[in-house]
Coordinates of all heavy atoms in Angstrom, one line a residue:
K20 N -62.5 165.2 -138.8 CA -62.6 164.0 -137.9 C -64.1 163.7 -137.7 O -64.6 162.5 -137.7 CB -61.9 164.2 -136.6 CG -60.4 164.1 -136.6 CD -59.8 164.3 -135.2 CE -58.3 164.0 -135.2 NZ -57.7 164.2 -133.9
K40 N -48.0 167.3 -145.9 CA -49.2 166.5 -146.0 C -49.1 165.3 -145.0 O -50.2 165.0 -144.4 CB -49.2 165.9 -147.4 CG -49.6 166.9 -148.5 CD -49.7 166.3 -149.9 CE -50.1 167.3 -150.9 NZ -50.3 166.6 -152.3
T43 N -50.0 166.4 -141.5 CA -51.4 166.8 -141.4 C -52.3 165.6 -141.4 O -53.2 165.5 -140.5 CB -51.8 167.7 -142.6 OG1 -50.9 168.8 -142.6 CG2 -53.2 168.2 -142.5
G50 N -56.2 154.9 -139.4 CA -57.4 154.4 -140.0 C -58.1 155.5 -140.9 O -59.2 155.2 -141.5
A53 N -59.1 159.8 -145.4 CA -59.1 161.1 -146.0 C -58.0 161.3 -147.0 O -56.9 160.8 -146.8 CB -59.0 162.2 -144.9
C104 N -74.6 168.5 -136.1 CA -74.3 167.2 -135.6 C -74.5 167.0 -134.1 O -74.5 165.9 -133.5 CB -72.8 166.8 -135.9 SG -72.5 166.7 -137.7
A136 N -71.8 170.6 -119.5 CA -71.5 171.9 -120.0 C -70.2 171.9 -120.8 O -69.3 171.2 -120.4 CB -71.4 173.0 -118.9
G140 N -65.4 176.9 -129.4 CA -65.4 178.0 -130.4 C -64.0 178.7 -130.4 O -63.0 178.1 -130.3
V149 N -66.3 168.4 -129.8 CA -67.1 167.9 -128.7 C -68.6 167.6 -129.2 O -69.4 167.1 -128.4 CB -67.2 168.9 -127.6 CG1 -65.8 169.3 -127.1 CG2 -68.0 170.2 -127.9
E155 N -78.9 165.8 -125.0 CA -80.1 166.7 -125.1 C -80.1 167.7 -124.0 O -80.5 168.8 -124.2 CB -81.4 165.9 -125.0 CG -81.6 164.9 -126.2 CD -81.7 165.7 -127.6 OE1 -81.9 166.9 -127.6 OE2 -81.6 165.0 -128.6
S165 N -66.2 186.9 -135.9 CA -66.9 187.4 -137.1 C -66.7 186.4 -138.2 O -67.6 186.2 -139.0 CB -66.4 188.8 -137.5 OG -65.0 188.8 -137.6
E169 N -69.8 184.3 -140.4 CA -70.0 184.5 -141.8 C -70.6 183.3 -142.5 O -71.2 183.4 -143.5 CB -68.7 184.8 -142.5 CG -68.2 186.2 -142.4 CD -67.0 186.5 -143.2 OE1 -66.0 185.7 -143.2 OE2 -66.9 187.5 -144.0
R177 N -79.7 179.7 -128.0 CA -80.9 180.0 -127.1 C -80.7 181.3 -126.4 O -81.7 182.1 -126.2 CB -80.9 178.9 -126.0 CG -82.0 178.9 -125.0 CD -83.3 178.4 -125.7 NE -84.4 178.5 -124.7 CZ -85.1 179.6 -124.5 NH1 -84.8 180.7 -125.1 NH2 -86.1 179.6 -123.6
D187 N -62.2 196.3 -136.4 CA -61.2 195.2 -136.2 C -61.4 194.3 -137.5 O -62.4 194.3 -138.1 CB -61.5 194.4 -135.0 CG -60.3 193.5 -134.6 OD1 -59.2 193.8 -135.1 OD2 -60.4 192.6 -133.7
Y198 N -68.2 194.0 -141.4 CA -67.8 193.4 -140.1 C -69.0 193.4 -139.1 O -69.2 192.3 -138.4 CB -66.7 194.2 -139.5 CG -66.2 193.9 -138.1 CD1 -65.7 192.7 -137.8 CD2 -66.3 194.8 -137.1 CE1 -65.3 192.4 -136.5 CE2 -65.9 194.6 -135.8 CZ -65.4 193.3 -135.5 OH -65.0 193.0 -134.3
I205 N -75.2 186.5 -135.4 CA -75.4 185.6 -134.2 C -76.8 185.5 -133.8 O -77.3 184.5 -133.3 CB -74.5 186.1 -133.0 CG1 -74.3 185.0 -132.0 CG2 -75.1 187.4 -132.4 CD1 -73.2 185.3 -131.0
E211 N -88.7 184.5 -130.9 CA -89.2 185.2 -129.7 C -89.0 184.4 -128.4 O -89.1 185.0 -127.3 CB -90.7 185.4 -129.9 CG -91.1 186.4 -131.0 CD -91.2 185.8 -132.4 OE1 -90.8 184.6 -132.5 OE2 -91.6 186.5 -133.3
F236 N -82.2 192.0 -123.8 CA -81.9 192.3 -122.4 C -80.5 193.0 -122.4 O -79.5 192.6 -122.9 CB -81.7 191.0 -121.6 CG -81.9 191.1 -120.2 CD1 -83.1 191.1 -119.6 CD2 -80.8 191.2 -119.3 CE1 -83.3 191.2 -118.2 CE2 -80.9 191.3 -118.0 CZ -82.1 191.3 -117.4
D262 N -89.3 188.3 -114.4 CA -89.2 187.2 -113.4 C -89.8 187.7 -112.0 O -89.5 187.1 -111.0 CB -87.7 187.0 -113.1 CG -87.0 186.3 -114.3 OD1 -87.7 185.9 -115.2 OD2 -85.7 186.3 -114.3
D274 N -65.7 195.2 -105.9 CA -64.6 194.9 -105.0 C -64.5 193.4 -104.6 O -63.4 192.9 -104.1 CB -64.6 195.8 -103.7 CG -64.3 197.2 -104.0 OD1 -63.8 197.5 -105.1 OD2 -64.7 198.1 -103.2
E275 N -65.6 192.7 -104.8 CA -65.6 191.2 -104.6 C -65.0 190.4 -105.7 O -64.8 189.2 -105.6 CB -67.0 190.7 -104.3 CG -67.7 191.4 -103.1 CD -69.1 191.0 -103.0 OE1 -69.4 189.8 -102.9 OE2 -70.0 191.9 -103.1
H282 N -64.3 197.6 -118.3 CA -64.6 196.6 -119.4 C -64.8 195.2 -118.9 O -65.7 194.5 -119.4 CB -63.5 196.6 -120.4 CG -62.2 196.0 -120.0 ND1 -61.4 196.6 -119.0 CD2 -61.6 194.9 -120.3 CE1 -60.4 195.8 -118.7 NE2 -60.4 194.8 -119.5
A290 N -72.1 188.0 -118.9 CA -72.1 186.6 -118.6 C -73.2 186.3 -117.6 O -74.0 185.3 -117.7 CB -70.8 186.1 -118.0
A294 N -76.6 183.9 -118.1 CA -76.9 182.8 -117.2 C -78.3 183.0 -116.6 O -79.1 182.1 -116.5 CB -75.9 182.7 -116.2
G358 N -46.5 195.9 -133.2 CA -46.5 194.5 -133.8 C -47.0 194.6 -135.2 O -46.6 195.5 -136.0
A410 N -37.5 195.1 -125.8 CA -38.6 195.9 -125.3 C -38.9 195.7 -123.9 O -39.1 196.6 -123.1 CB -39.8 195.6 -126.2
L426 N -47.7 194.9 -120.9 CA -47.7 194.5 -122.3 C -49.1 194.5 -122.8 O -49.9 193.7 -122.4 CB -47.1 193.1 -122.4 CG -47.3 192.4 -123.8 CD1 -46.4 193.1 -124.8 CD2 -47.0 190.9 -123.8

Side-chain angles (χ1 to χ4, degrees):
K20 284 181 174 177
K40 290 184 181 182
T43 302
C104 294
V149 306
E155 294 298 343
S165 56
E169 278 185 315
R177 185 75 182 80
D187 198 15
Y198 172 63
I205 199 166
E211 293 84 353
F236 200 85
D262 293 348
D274 289 342
E275 298 172 62
H282 69 292
L426 169 68

